[in-house]
Amino acid sequence: DGKGRIFLQESELQLEQLAPRLEAITHEKKDTRIFVRGDSTIDYGRVISVVSAITQAGFTKVALLTQPPVAGTAKAGGAS
């Protein structure tokens, strides 16, 4: 969320709890696709630390979810 908190299936948890919870939910199927969505206002490094924790746990299919830009906002890389 916008405060950098981590949620898994609507439940807040700490970063060190993420891998064990994912393993339990997926029955340790490391090829399960894990989707990560980060609030656009948080530091990019926070998202990377979450992705890193997932991949270090052995999950091989991690995908980032994005939202389409809102009309009238600048595109990544600046306006042309």
Side-chain angles (χ1 to χ4, degrees):
D1 74 353
K3 297 178 183 176
R5 296 179 299 181
I6 299 169
F7 291 85
L8 178 62
Q9 295 182 332
E10 308 302 321
S11 297
E12 184 176 0
L13 52 92
Q14 298 300 311
L15 184 59
E16 58 273 4
Q17 298 171 303
L18 183 58
R21 292 280 301 276
L22 285 172
E23 289 169 344
I25 291 168
T26 63
H27 305 287
E28 298 198 32
K29 292 174 67 177
K30 302 294 182 158
D31 63 342
T32 301
R33 184 166 307 277
I34 308 296
F35 293 97
V36 176
R37 178 177 49 232
D39 189 279
S40 63
T41 62
I42 65 167
D43 182 66
Y44 182 69
R46 182 65 170 158
V47 175
I48 294 302
S49 65
V50 170
V51 171
S52 178
I54 296 168
T55 57
Q56 286 179 5
F59 290 94
T60 58
K61 297 180 179 178
V62 182
L64 296 176
L65 295 177
T66 62
Q67 292 181 322
V70 177
T73 61
K75 295 180 181 178
S80 40

